[in-house]
Amino acid sequence: MGANHINLHQLRLTPHNYAKLAARKYTYSHGLKVTVLDSELAALEVLRWNFAEQINFPINYCSFQFKNQFQTLAGRMRSAKYIINSYEALTQTGLIRTLSAIGTVAQMLSLRENFKLAKIDTDLYFFVSKEKLFFHPTVSKFVSLFSLIVSVQYHSSSTKQGVNYHYPFVDVLINKRKIFVEKATVTQLIVLEAENVLKFMDLIRFGFLAKIENAVQNTKLQQSFADIQDLARFEVLEYGVQEIM
């Protein structure tokens, strides 16, 4: 029969396989979960051999770090549609990004008027009070015209069989079953420095990953984005293998 390709997966240490793996004296990496370093080294050696010998056989290596991100992403994407607000947006990691701005009553009145004149869809912003609003990234150019205090916060959506009332939730009917979709807080409110607001808006509107990658190659850009580069982990998926800890 033969094989058309091979998928190699990194081993994890779990309560179910601990007894058998512990007897093999493997080396373990401690990250989000405990993984078997030896399994990753073996997979990379197979890839190296395949390349060195020019066999060109299709081999895919799926590290836990990579697989876990996409499994988590898939779950977030499925549930987010039930609880995300129209003025919020999903990041590449499947997190819900909430942008907010605080200003004076006069500033907010002017901003509201600008929205009306530009015929901005009212679903893309929401005035919580006379001094605060939530807004979608697509209208950030209007918000940036005013000296407002801009903040960002990230949330994670997930399905639950029951609720603990710690976070906002909605109940939905899926396949004739009632389940709950919860919106958990991932970060507290992160206030952006005034000089970083436009940079951040530029990143999320025109490609966070591309800008960060360019910054790594360019010292001047790297200094420019240094203050907000930490937010990349909420915005884009991480690639490569797990760092050994």
Side-chain angles (χ1 to χ4, degrees):
M1 293 176 62
N4 295 321
H5 64 274
I6 295 176
N7 283 321
L8 302 175
H9 290 265
Q10 185 176 22
L11 294 177
R12 267 186 57 207
L13 181 67
T14 70
H16 305 290
N17 63 17
Y18 171 78
K20 292 184 178 180
L21 289 185
R24 294 178 177 268
K25 307 299 181 183
Y26 286 140
T27 301
Y28 301 97
S29 299
H30 296 265
L32 288 174
K33 300 291 183 180
V34 180
T35 55
V36 181
L37 175 61
D38 305 77
S39 67
E40 179 159 82
L41 295 177
L44 295 177
E45 176 58 25
V46 171
L47 292 173
R48 187 205 63 78
W49 170 79
N50 187 51
F51 179 77
E53 298 296 325
Q54 298 183 345
I55 298 173
N56 298 323
F57 185 75
I59 301 176
N60 174 65
Y61 170 55
C62 189
S63 67
F64 168 75
Q65 174 172 298
F66 193 74
K67 179 173 65 175
N68 183 62
Q69 286 185 104
F70 280 94
Q71 288 178 337
T72 302
L73 170 63
R76 288 171 177 170
M77 296 292 281
R78 284 194 299 268
S79 57
K81 61 184 178 182
Y82 296 108
I83 202 164
I84 189 172
N85 292 302
S86 58
Y87 51 79
E88 296 174 316
L90 284 176
T91 70
Q92 188 189 99
T93 62
L95 293 177
I96 298 172
R97 183 201 309 114
T98 307
L99 292 169
S100 60
I102 295 176
T104 65
V105 174
Q107 286 175 319
M108 290 301 173
L109 286 173
S110 296
L111 181 56
R112 190 191 294 266
E113 188 61 28
N114 280 8
F115 283 157
K116 289 182 179 179
L117 291 174
K119 297 181 179 179
I120 300 298
D121 189 339
T122 54
D123 286 339
L124 297 178
Y125 61 90
F126 175 65
F127 285 90
V128 188
S129 66
K130 294 180 180 180
E131 299 175 335
K132 180 179 180 180
L133 87 152
F134 293 119
F135 64 96
H136 193 272
T138 55
V139 300
S140 59
K141 64 179 181 179
F142 292 93
V143 177
S144 63
L145 296 175
F146 300 86
S147 300
L148 305 176
I149 300 173
V150 176
S151 302
V152 60
Q153 188 172 23
Y154 297 93
H155 301 87
S156 176
S157 60
S158 60
T159 56
K160 305 286 184 181
Q161 296 300 317
V163 291
N164 54 24
Y165 299 98
H166 289 167
Y167 300 110
F169 67 90
V170 294
D171 54 276
V172 296
L173 198 63
I174 299 178
N175 296 327
K176 298 182 179 181
R177 289 181 57 210
K178 182 179 179 180
I179 63 170
F180 300 91
V181 177
E182 188 177 74
K183 187 178 183 181
T185 301
V186 175
T187 70
Q188 297 302 312
L189 205 62
I190 302 170
V191 179
L192 300 175
E193 296 293 336
E195 63 271 19
N196 289 331
V197 172
L198 285 177
K199 296 177 190 175
F200 184 71
M201 296 306 173
D202 180 44
L203 287 175
I204 61 178
R205 287 174 62 207
F206 301 111
F208 209 104
L209 183 59
K211 291 285 186 179
I212 291 295
E213 286 181 340
N214 288 338
V216 173
Q217 304 298 326
N218 185 304
T219 304
K220 187 175 181 180
L221 273 175
Q222 193 171 18
Q223 293 172 346
S224 176
F225 291 123
D227 294 337
I228 49 179
Q229 197 164 346
D230 286 344
L231 297 178
R233 60 195 175 102
F234 304 117
E235 293 283 342
V236 295
L237 297 170
E238 295 181 14
Y239 294 89
V241 296
Q242 179 178 319
E243 293 184 7
I244 300 175
M245 300 177 64

